[in-house]
Amino acid sequence: MNTVGHLINGQITTAAKRTQDVFNPATGEVSRQVALATAQTVDCAIAAAEAAFPAWRDTPPIKRARVMFRFKELLEKNADTICQMIGEEHGKISHDAAGELQRGIENVEYACGIAELLKGEHSKNVGPNIDSWSEFQPLGVVAGITPFNFPVMVPLWMFPMAIASGNCFILKPSERDPSSTLFIAQLLQEAGLPNGVLNVVNGDKEAVDILLRDPRVQAVSFVGSTPVAEYIYSTATAHGKRCQALGGAKNHAIVMPDADMDNAVNQLLGAAFGSSGERCMALSVAVAVGDAAADALVEKMQAAMQNLKVGAYTDSKNDFGPVITRQHQQKVIGYIDSAEEQGATVVVDGRQPCVEGYENGFFVGGTLIDRVTPEMVSYKEEIFGPVLQVVRVNSMQEAMALIDNHEYGNGTCIFTRDGEAARYFSDNIKVGMVGINVPLPVPVAYHSFGGWKRSLFGDLHAYGPDAVRFYTRRKTVTQRWPSSGVREGVEFSMPTMK
Amino acid sequence: MNTVGHLINGQITTAAKRTQDVFNPATGEVSRQVALATAQTVDCAIAAAEAAFPAWRDTPPIKRARVMFRFKELLEKNADTICQMIGEEHGKISHDAAGELQRGIENVEYACGIAELLKGEHSKNVGPNIDSWSEFQPLGVVAGITPFNFPVMVPLWMFPMAIASGNCFILKPSERDPSSTLFIAQLLQEAGLPNGVLNVVNGDKEAVDILLRDPRVQAVSFVGSTPVAEYIYSTATAHGKRCQALGGAKNHAIVMPDADMDNAVNQLLGAAFGSSGERCMALSVAVAVGDAAADALVEKMQAAMQNLKVGAYTDSKNDFGPVITRQHQQKVIGYIDSAEEQGATVVVDGRQPCVEGYENGFFVGGTLIDRVTPEMVSYKEEIFGPVLQVVRVNSMQEAMALIDNHEYGNGTCIFTRDGEAARYFSDNIKVGMVGINVPLPVPVAYHSFGGWKRSLFGDLHAYGPDAVRFYTRRKTVTQRWPSSGVREGVEFSMPTMK
Amino acid sequence: MNTVGHLINGQITTAAKRTQDVFNPATGEVSRQVALATAQTVDCAIAAAEAAFPAWRDTPPIKRARVMFRFKELLEKNADTICQMIGEEHGKISHDAAGELQRGIENVEYACGIAELLKGEHSKNVGPNIDSWSEFQPLGVVAGITPFNFPVMVPLWMFPMAIASGNCFILKPSERDPSSTLFIAQLLQEAGLPNGVLNVVNGDKEAVDILLRDPRVQAVSFVGSTPVAEYIYSTATAHGKRCQALGGAKNHAIVMPDADMDNAVNQLLGAAFGSSGERCMALSVAVAVGDAAADALVEKMQAAMQNLKVGAYTDSKNDFGPVITRQHQQKVIGYIDSAEEQGATVVVDGRQPCVEGYENGFFVGGTLIDRVTPEMVSYKEEIFGPVLQVVRVNSMQEAMALIDNHEYGNGTCIFTRDGEAARYFSDNIKVGMVGINVPLPVPVAYHSFGGWKRSLFGDLHAYGPDAVRFYTRRKTVTQRWPSSGVREGVEFSMPTMK
Amino acid sequence: MNTVGHLINGQITTAAKRTQDVFNPATGEVSRQVALATAQTVDCAIAAAEAAFPAWRDTPPIKRARVMFRFKELLEKNADTICQMIGEEHGKISHDAAGELQRGIENVEYACGIAELLKGEHSKNVGPNIDSWSEFQPLGVVAGITPFNFPVMVPLWMFPMAIASGNCFILKPSERDPSSTLFIAQLLQEAGLPNGVLNVVNGDKEAVDILLRDPRVQAVSFVGSTPVAEYIYSTATAHGKRCQALGGAKNHAIVMPDADMDNAVNQLLGAAFGSSGERCMALSVAVAVGDAAADALVEKMQAAMQNLKVGAYTDSKNDFGPVITRQHQQKVIGYIDSAEEQGATVVVDGRQPCVEGYENGFFVGGTLIDRVTPEMVSYKEEIFGPVLQVVRVNSMQEAMALIDNHEYGNGTCIFTRDGEAARYFSDNIKVGMVGINVPLPVPVAYHSFGGWKRSLFGDLHAYGPDAVRFYTRRKTVTQRWPSSGVREGVEFSMPTMK
């Protein structure tokens, strides 16, 4: 059985004292091992990155961009391989993996424009004959720690922009599904990236803690759960680093009485169950305003869910696949149980999914729960599974209060046809990413991704324009040239001739 | 004896369990008391700010800007009063106080342009008929903690931009010289700021710690010494806040052999001794490249220093005044002693300044120390007094290594006439603010202020464009309007008539 | 009777071979004369501007901004005087004049931020050790030609941004109402503008033609009617200048069946009749979608118009005043006649207004015409009077086709509550300034003003960010410093000593 | 013999009433014919572009960008073919053609970032609950007219940005060397561009005049000589279009006494003789400050020119090739004759070049002329051949006056090591593109290209950020949503229950 290793200074190494099983979640079987980095391995990666930095920082941005142009070509050329790797270890169906990859590629496309994005501000005559300008210089060695649910997309949120900005990068991907991540890192090497500019270390908390503490690491980007995000943020900052740590979510959709209900149901279906709900932007709570809207929503949703297909990634007709681990499967089922126990109505029950030929897979079927209330555990916590909960309220104000009072503030959405309702909602709601009739309002690559409240710790959002600021340091130069006589002094005609 | 109080919800209050002496550093006498806020007082301020927030955030930016326009007028009209207050408690000479005020006003001028600065990014057709835009919304209640050395300017780095951006602000100024700070806050009230939008609490660590921990406070800006900055940054971030904490400095000027030496000496004089060296941008180390340059520099500097006048703020012919406290005076003298003991040459000795009529003032005279080396305590630490140290090196590379190896990276400068040397220096030096023949490269208000290394903790610099980003949160809205028949459905002619 | 003169090089001069009557349009009487510039006078102005340019261009932008800060203060302090001057010569009521002035001041406020707005783009390492940046340098002498209908606002669209950008300006205001324009120019002098930076020449086509042809004039801004705009644009460009020429308008409001009709009527009232309809953004055509909407609109509008008060500027209870001249009054009445003759229904007839005590004033009462069709002359041409015409259509598509087929494309508006209709409209309509439930969508000062089609000739819009680009020229510098040995060569230790 | 045709609506057509010879300038032989478009052909192209516009404008920018990503790949893949086509018809050596292509590709790379570049400005609360934003919408059908000297690069300055911005484009390339231009247009089709979005019409003044007059054409970009640029600008603008017309140049390099002379000579060699001097950025005048500098320059240049190789494009060891036509060859020689006659010294004489095997080619050898004065015809006019003229002056001020007094203001350069001289020069010189020790200061693709004075007519420069503004129209939307009860009205609990 092969072992997924590290990429350090352009070389793959699998040397490890410890390894961990990597499962195929559709079959429940171990497919390979992943090496867990020791402190020494992480140290090597940091050293390689630091050594590569001076030359990479001095490489003109347009040349760094051209590595990204080639990287995009290679990602597109190898799309099938990448999607297969994602399916095998994460379980998501090929069309979903293709969507993930495409969203990732869009960040590479954005990084191709780095020369424009790095432009500094230039001011003539801040004082008499004094000029001043601000440059945005790369930080040096920076690190990224990424979650299992998007093994390709979330790393691509980070390293293309960090590297295009002139930094050297150490990626610690999820140890659950490491293969596709490592593979795309190798593609970037193939695209012409110098050794040491991107390093991948597989590992667990041991590796992470070194990255958070080593003084050579200047900044840390993280995506994962809120408790870990909080740990990452407070630890990295306590060691003087800049840090952006993206955490959990509980994304609500308000369904207004004037909404086009068929459209809303159709949108919610994908947003709630796609990728088994293992997305930080999954829409897991529908807040129906008025019982009429709620009844219609539940009825139509129940009907639509009959056609949902759960199964293995190999069959592209499936809508979604298993969750990531046996433990997680049990946790999701536990949330459904608790909702039922606390008085909610399980309208569609996915606790006993039947996936023929994959009886040992980590599957949970699409689940719809009605009459959920804010006190329930299943409402308070992030389920991260294919479970849509319906909360019934009497007014839009009540719906908004619900959202604003929740711990998380990642994404939210409203279904309405009314301009005023939409504007009031998007203006006032305390959530970072807002959809108007768009259930998954993930910003495109040329905007930036970030939640509010306990969904994000830090000042700057992920990818897009904010990534340039996060991965660079402002340097402001103020310049005055005293006369040195070169200009005025040069007078070659004979003085007496004048 | 009167007591300097707090400004809370538009009212001055002096109620306090504890007070602290405020000195006139030129005479050494206590001039008044300052109230030290209790936890309850800080809580009142936070509550007032929180209550004022909803209306202030909804006030159109151009109307918020107009409060700043009036504030600028009032600051200019009251300039003499403000400068006198600064002189009385801080000790700086009126022309220096006027310079501080002017630099502060420039930040108010910048805040007048907030409507332009708050513009978000708008993208049509991020997908078919889907639009997306990013807004920059205010955070809510934010806090600033400011040092004694610029009682007017540093607060003006913070609250005008924070407030113009739509936030409510709590300022905890230095308890050493609180009067001018409180006075300008009152002027902002007079300019039309609603009650509660700006609150001033005087106090010490007790007040600070509440600001760092209260969950209603969203962000903290700090300027002070590095150990405190580090404490502020790690504490505020551990409580989930965004934070920018600006710390100490040790600003070096490289004097190249091709520099215009008269000009360099003239510039260094003000940069080293202005405001008694109590500036985080003070130039405290001159690195002379080559003994010829060093000898010329020391000789000319020694001569020039004969004309330096130290004295009380009341006489505008004085060049600089006392340091802030008796303890600080002794500390500065201690650094001079230690340099001498460790082998440096005290060329001009300010340890026994004679200021007639002010024998009890906290004065230190202008001091020049030659042949300082990197091992000396006086080199390693920030002196924050009127002391210029000369280090002699053999090459520009050696000079740059010296700077890069120092803990701090606030400001630096090179004196040269050579384009290539200047560009190499500004490109590579690990310092945030770089001067080319400009000894105090403080960025103008429309750029941003920030050091590198242990001179700044956080991602975003102070004032200028970065302030907009620090005091706002990005919200990205993605919008699609499903057809609701309003547009297409309206057809009123009788069908059969066609 | 006094004569309104020119402002040249800081001095008022009334010398003129020809003068022209200035009327009080409320009384129909001549109140003063205006001097008409000869070629020589214009030449003096250009010469003064050219002489003032080198010093003004080298004045740091922040100092130029401070003149604008003081100018804003003076405009506010002298508001009553300015409004009175406007009323006396233009006839608009004081509240309307105050609105004009306020809109003008907003452009001065924007010009206060010029230091930010002038920032160039700086790129490090466009090649190895090669940097490049773009500066925006002022053009030199530029000219503005402005219309009678906004004697204060339209000049303030132009010269504050032009001057703050570093140019010297020659303003040729309308000879119909020259006093307020000249007065604000004097206030700018008082604010500290150096002589020659702003010059005002009153005059007619003779003066204009010199400005369009003199090679020292680099750029021309114009606001007026389309035929003149076209002449200005083709003449100025044929002489190699850059030019922006804003022309006429025919602004339509679509009233959708789902609109809040009371609100729409209320908005239309001000937008159609305010300032007697003598605004290039006046809403002169209401396009009602469906007869039900049309009937409701006409009925409610007719009722509302009973309360419209037309009269002299001196009574602030009046809603609007006279039109500018006797000829123009007759022209407006002629359009109403022609509509009636061509089959439209004059619902409210303002052809015989009775304004007690002002029987000789140039008044036209508020007029509402229903069942107007696209073939009518009154539809095709710009009336520039207090006349609202209603066109009835059967669909939104038909309404939009009407707008798109009209020669002009300045402003337009839709009244609806539907998000989709609004988005489709604003996306597709061929008009430069679009309102959603906003009848007069004049962009705020920090956006830019400009129509499409034959309402604007040129690339860049007026005021706002576009003004910076119009009044400056891009200069791109590319810089490489060859080593000159200053950096590397400096090595003073004896080689053998190492 | 084959005929180069047009690309209209995705199809190649060679139908033409007239054709013109295309020469191989190295042999002097006709290699093929080019079809000259009739009015009808141009009309077809305009109609095709207009028909393609609605769908292309509505294609999301990121999808338009992806066509450019593929275009870049295809250009790189077909580089050899393209360079051969350039060589065959223009005569430039393969390495020079490769440089031209690479510079062109950089504009395609910039167009890949169009989604970022098209971002509009969004303002919340321009008034209470009123938002406003500016969009940059494509113009529709736009045209480009390009010169013979860069048959690939100059078209790539124009159509990638115009098309990525959502416009449809009609290119009228030079009829001297049409093949490579047509070929790259076909590659863009192959990259996935819909038919009609890019059309190429070969032709002469007849075709041009239609493009300048047809009301469906919204904007015209031109690069060529100044008399034609002026005609294009005045004609297009007289027909109401926006226009940018780039004309001729006379680019001076100041050689200061402190310059590194070997470096300067080396740089000048390529800048003066590369591409036979047929570049609008060719450095054709060296202004030596002081006779010492002049003598050194002439001596070293004369020596260096011994190694210049002129010959056919097929031999990559050649430095440059023939000029474009027999007539142009004679014109260049005529300029050298006239300089000699007017008293200048022809130091290196290229009038009788011997290119073995290519005796009928249109060659002119590298020519150096010393002691040229401003009165000479060869100084006043653009030679556009491999001729470097040296003017001797006594001071930098004199050198700058020379440049500022010349009709053209395209590019210029200074060779110096002195920071102050460089800054004074770049600040004050009246030229649009300035090099500091960079002899060909062509801005990179992410800045913009444009001269001053009679080198450019129009407001906005070519390619880079200015191209976005030139090829789009600002639309400003102002939006207020009146309450429609959807938000507040929804209250479903029984009223009596409250």
Side-chain angles (χ1 to χ4, degrees), chain C residues 137 473-475, chain D residues 408-410 429-432 450-456:
Chain C
Q137 295 199 347
R473 227 178 239 124
R474 185 186 280 267
K475 183 185 268 186
Chain D
Y408 299 122
N410 219 40
I429 201 75
K430 290 177 184 140
V431 171
W452 284 18
K453 292 186 284 181
R454 289 173 58 77
S455 290
L456 184 145

PDB file of all heavy atoms in Angstrom, chain C residues 137 473-475, chain D residues 408-410 429-432 450-456:
ATOM      1  N   GLN C 137      -0.234  64.149 -14.498  1.00  0.00           N
ATOM      2  CA  GLN C 137       0.224  65.540 -14.429  1.00  0.00           C
ATOM      3  C   GLN C 137      -0.819  66.479 -15.026  1.00  0.00           C
ATOM      4  O   GLN C 137      -1.507  66.124 -15.980  1.00  0.00           O
ATOM      5  CB  GLN C 137       1.552  65.666 -15.186  1.00  0.00           C
ATOM      6  CG  GLN C 137       2.687  64.865 -14.533  1.00  0.00           C
ATOM      7  CD  GLN C 137       4.080  65.336 -14.975  1.00  0.00           C
ATOM      8  OE1 GLN C 137       4.206  66.088 -15.947  1.00  0.00           O
ATOM      9  NE2 GLN C 137       5.102  64.916 -14.255  1.00  0.00           N
ATOM     10  N   ARG C 473      -2.785  64.418 -17.534  1.00  0.00           N
ATOM     11  CA  ARG C 473      -2.186  63.611 -18.586  1.00  0.00           C
ATOM     12  C   ARG C 473      -1.338  62.547 -17.906  1.00  0.00           C
ATOM     13  O   ARG C 473      -0.584  62.843 -16.986  1.00  0.00           O
ATOM     14  CB  ARG C 473      -1.270  64.509 -19.419  1.00  0.00           C
ATOM     15  CG  ARG C 473      -1.454  64.366 -20.898  1.00  0.00           C
ATOM     16  CD  ARG C 473      -0.548  65.320 -21.642  1.00  0.00           C
ATOM     17  NE  ARG C 473      -1.329  66.213 -22.486  1.00  0.00           N
ATOM     18  CZ  ARG C 473      -1.289  67.523 -22.432  1.00  0.00           C
ATOM     19  NH1 ARG C 473      -0.507  68.142 -21.579  1.00  0.00           N
ATOM     20  NH2 ARG C 473      -2.044  68.249 -23.236  1.00  0.00           N
ATOM     21  N   ARG C 474      -1.478  61.350 -18.379  1.00  0.00           N
ATOM     22  CA  ARG C 474      -0.676  60.256 -17.830  1.00  0.00           C
ATOM     23  C   ARG C 474       0.765  60.377 -18.323  1.00  0.00           C
ATOM     24  O   ARG C 474       1.001  60.636 -19.504  1.00  0.00           O
ATOM     25  CB  ARG C 474      -1.271  58.929 -18.305  1.00  0.00           C
ATOM     26  CG  ARG C 474      -0.624  57.691 -17.732  1.00  0.00           C
ATOM     27  CD  ARG C 474      -1.182  56.430 -18.384  1.00  0.00           C
ATOM     28  NE  ARG C 474      -2.469  56.016 -17.856  1.00  0.00           N
ATOM     29  CZ  ARG C 474      -2.627  55.135 -16.865  1.00  0.00           C
ATOM     30  NH1 ARG C 474      -1.571  54.567 -16.314  1.00  0.00           N
ATOM     31  NH2 ARG C 474      -3.831  54.813 -16.444  1.00  0.00           N
ATOM     32  N   LYS C 475       1.697  60.243 -17.402  1.00  0.00           N
ATOM     33  CA  LYS C 475       3.111  60.135 -17.774  1.00  0.00           C
ATOM     34  C   LYS C 475       3.651  58.863 -17.129  1.00  0.00           C
ATOM     35  O   LYS C 475       3.491  58.660 -15.930  1.00  0.00           O
ATOM     36  CB  LYS C 475       3.893  61.350 -17.264  1.00  0.00           C
ATOM     37  CG  LYS C 475       5.355  61.357 -17.658  1.00  0.00           C
ATOM     38  CD  LYS C 475       6.111  62.523 -17.032  1.00  0.00           C
ATOM     39  CE  LYS C 475       6.124  63.751 -17.929  1.00  0.00           C
ATOM     40  NZ  LYS C 475       6.982  64.844 -17.377  1.00  0.00           N
TER      41      LYS C 475
ATOM     42  N   TYR D 408       6.957  66.657 -31.309  1.00  0.00           N
ATOM     43  CA  TYR D 408       6.507  65.376 -30.768  1.00  0.00           C
ATOM     44  C   TYR D 408       6.851  65.219 -29.295  1.00  0.00           C
ATOM     45  O   TYR D 408       7.769  65.871 -28.785  1.00  0.00           O
ATOM     46  CB  TYR D 408       7.134  64.219 -31.561  1.00  0.00           C
ATOM     47  CG  TYR D 408       6.755  64.224 -33.023  1.00  0.00           C
ATOM     48  CD1 TYR D 408       7.734  64.282 -34.009  1.00  0.00           C
ATOM     49  CD2 TYR D 408       5.411  64.171 -33.411  1.00  0.00           C
ATOM     50  CE1 TYR D 408       7.387  64.289 -35.365  1.00  0.00           C
ATOM     51  CE2 TYR D 408       5.065  64.185 -34.757  1.00  0.00           C
ATOM     52  CZ  TYR D 408       6.052  64.251 -35.730  1.00  0.00           C
ATOM     53  OH  TYR D 408       5.711  64.258 -37.054  1.00  0.00           O
ATOM     54  N   GLY D 409       6.156  64.339 -28.630  1.00  0.00           N
ATOM     55  CA  GLY D 409       6.452  64.086 -27.215  1.00  0.00           C
ATOM     56  C   GLY D 409       6.158  62.649 -26.830  1.00  0.00           C
ATOM     57  O   GLY D 409       5.510  62.413 -25.819  1.00  0.00           O
ATOM     58  N   ASN D 410       6.618  61.745 -27.635  1.00  0.00           N
ATOM     59  CA  ASN D 410       6.296  60.346 -27.392  1.00  0.00           C
ATOM     60  C   ASN D 410       7.139  59.764 -26.256  1.00  0.00           C
ATOM     61  O   ASN D 410       6.675  59.630 -25.143  1.00  0.00           O
ATOM     62  CB  ASN D 410       6.515  59.543 -28.690  1.00  0.00           C
ATOM     63  CG  ASN D 410       5.458  58.490 -28.891  1.00  0.00           C
ATOM     64  OD1 ASN D 410       4.286  58.749 -28.612  1.00  0.00           O
ATOM     65  ND2 ASN D 410       5.850  57.323 -29.369  1.00  0.00           N
ATOM     66  N   ILE D 429       9.900  67.118 -17.991  1.00  0.00           N
ATOM     67  CA  ILE D 429       9.955  66.985 -19.455  1.00  0.00           C
ATOM     68  C   ILE D 429       8.548  66.760 -20.011  1.00  0.00           C
ATOM     69  O   ILE D 429       7.732  66.061 -19.419  1.00  0.00           O
ATOM     70  CB  ILE D 429      10.925  65.835 -19.844  1.00  0.00           C
ATOM     71  CG1 ILE D 429      11.384  66.017 -21.270  1.00  0.00           C
ATOM     72  CG2 ILE D 429      10.319  64.465 -19.606  1.00  0.00           C
ATOM     73  CD1 ILE D 429      12.401  67.098 -21.452  1.00  0.00           C
ATOM     74  N   LYS D 430       8.261  67.385 -21.142  1.00  0.00           N
ATOM     75  CA  LYS D 430       6.911  67.332 -21.718  1.00  0.00           C
ATOM     76  C   LYS D 430       6.790  66.165 -22.698  1.00  0.00           C
ATOM     77  O   LYS D 430       6.538  66.356 -23.897  1.00  0.00           O
ATOM     78  CB  LYS D 430       6.589  68.665 -22.394  1.00  0.00           C
ATOM     79  CG  LYS D 430       6.397  69.776 -21.360  1.00  0.00           C
ATOM     80  CD  LYS D 430       6.143  71.118 -21.983  1.00  0.00           C
ATOM     81  CE  LYS D 430       6.050  72.196 -20.896  1.00  0.00           C
ATOM     82  NZ  LYS D 430       6.706  73.435 -21.273  1.00  0.00           N
ATOM     83  N   VAL D 431       6.964  65.006 -22.163  1.00  0.00           N
ATOM     84  CA  VAL D 431       6.949  63.780 -22.957  1.00  0.00           C
ATOM     85  C   VAL D 431       6.167  62.734 -22.163  1.00  0.00           C
ATOM     86  O   VAL D 431       6.251  62.702 -20.939  1.00  0.00           O
ATOM     87  CB  VAL D 431       8.397  63.304 -23.226  1.00  0.00           C
ATOM     88  CG1 VAL D 431       8.410  61.917 -23.846  1.00  0.00           C
ATOM     89  CG2 VAL D 431       9.118  64.305 -24.128  1.00  0.00           C
ATOM     90  N   GLY D 432       5.428  61.889 -22.864  1.00  0.00           N
ATOM     91  CA  GLY D 432       4.533  60.963 -22.171  1.00  0.00           C
ATOM     92  C   GLY D 432       5.180  59.733 -21.574  1.00  0.00           C
ATOM     93  O   GLY D 432       4.695  59.191 -20.586  1.00  0.00           O
ATOM     94  N   GLY D 450       1.311  56.106 -24.274  1.00  0.00           N
ATOM     95  CA  GLY D 450       0.827  57.310 -24.923  1.00  0.00           C
ATOM     96  C   GLY D 450       1.832  58.442 -24.850  1.00  0.00           C
ATOM     97  O   GLY D 450       2.488  58.647 -23.823  1.00  0.00           O
ATOM     98  N   GLY D 451       1.936  59.177 -25.939  1.00  0.00           N
ATOM     99  CA  GLY D 451       2.815  60.326 -25.969  1.00  0.00           C
ATOM    100  C   GLY D 451       2.073  61.602 -25.620  1.00  0.00           C
ATOM    101  O   GLY D 451       0.864  61.597 -25.361  1.00  0.00           O
ATOM    102  N   TRP D 452       2.802  62.692 -25.593  1.00  0.00           N
ATOM    103  CA  TRP D 452       2.204  63.999 -25.366  1.00  0.00           C
ATOM    104  C   TRP D 452       2.369  64.841 -26.638  1.00  0.00           C
ATOM    105  O   TRP D 452       2.880  64.383 -27.635  1.00  0.00           O
ATOM    106  CB  TRP D 452       2.911  64.689 -24.193  1.00  0.00           C
ATOM    107  CG  TRP D 452       2.548  64.171 -22.839  1.00  0.00           C
ATOM    108  CD1 TRP D 452       1.958  62.991 -22.528  1.00  0.00           C
ATOM    109  CD2 TRP D 452       2.786  64.835 -21.587  1.00  0.00           C
ATOM    110  NE1 TRP D 452       1.815  62.872 -21.164  1.00  0.00           N
ATOM    111  CE2 TRP D 452       2.309  63.982 -20.572  1.00  0.00           C
ATOM    112  CE3 TRP D 452       3.355  66.053 -21.224  1.00  0.00           C
ATOM    113  CZ2 TRP D 452       2.392  64.327 -19.204  1.00  0.00           C
ATOM    114  CZ3 TRP D 452       3.439  66.394 -19.876  1.00  0.00           C
ATOM    115  CH2 TRP D 452       2.952  65.541 -18.886  1.00  0.00           C
ATOM    116  N   LYS D 453       1.941  66.050 -26.542  1.00  0.00           N
ATOM    117  CA  LYS D 453       2.003  66.990 -27.675  1.00  0.00           C
ATOM    118  C   LYS D 453       1.392  66.350 -28.927  1.00  0.00           C
ATOM    119  O   LYS D 453       0.356  65.682 -28.841  1.00  0.00           O
ATOM    120  CB  LYS D 453       3.446  67.474 -27.867  1.00  0.00           C
ATOM    121  CG  LYS D 453       3.896  68.359 -26.682  1.00  0.00           C
ATOM    122  CD  LYS D 453       5.254  68.989 -26.895  1.00  0.00           C
ATOM    123  CE  LYS D 453       6.345  67.942 -26.688  1.00  0.00           C
ATOM    124  NZ  LYS D 453       7.694  68.488 -26.851  1.00  0.00           N
ATOM    125  N   ARG D 454       2.028  66.500 -30.073  1.00  0.00           N
ATOM    126  CA  ARG D 454       1.407  66.005 -31.302  1.00  0.00           C
ATOM    127  C   ARG D 454       1.695  64.525 -31.552  1.00  0.00           C
ATOM    128  O   ARG D 454       1.517  64.038 -32.670  1.00  0.00           O
ATOM    129  CB  ARG D 454       1.839  66.873 -32.479  1.00  0.00           C
ATOM    130  CG  ARG D 454       1.180  68.264 -32.401  1.00  0.00           C
ATOM    131  CD  ARG D 454       1.694  69.218 -33.450  1.00  0.00           C
ATOM    132  NE  ARG D 454       1.498  68.727 -34.798  1.00  0.00           N
ATOM    133  CZ  ARG D 454       0.323  68.744 -35.439  1.00  0.00           C
ATOM    134  NH1 ARG D 454      -0.743  69.234 -34.837  1.00  0.00           N
ATOM    135  NH2 ARG D 454       0.229  68.278 -36.657  1.00  0.00           N
ATOM    136  N   SER D 455       2.099  63.827 -30.511  1.00  0.00           N
ATOM    137  CA  SER D 455       2.262  62.376 -30.641  1.00  0.00           C
ATOM    138  C   SER D 455       0.995  61.618 -30.276  1.00  0.00           C
ATOM    139  O   SER D 455       0.919  60.401 -30.493  1.00  0.00           O
ATOM    140  CB  SER D 455       3.421  61.890 -29.762  1.00  0.00           C
ATOM    141  OG  SER D 455       4.653  62.336 -30.286  1.00  0.00           O
ATOM    142  N   LEU D 456       0.016  62.277 -29.671  1.00  0.00           N
ATOM    143  CA  LEU D 456      -1.242  61.593 -29.338  1.00  0.00           C
ATOM    144  C   LEU D 456      -2.380  62.603 -29.321  1.00  0.00           C
ATOM    145  O   LEU D 456      -2.255  63.667 -28.702  1.00  0.00           O
ATOM    146  CB  LEU D 456      -1.132  60.875 -27.986  1.00  0.00           C
ATOM    147  CG  LEU D 456      -2.354  60.046 -27.571  1.00  0.00           C
ATOM    148  CD1 LEU D 456      -1.921  58.795 -26.812  1.00  0.00           C
ATOM    149  CD2 LEU D 456      -3.333  60.834 -26.723  1.00  0.00           C
TER     150      LEU D 456
END
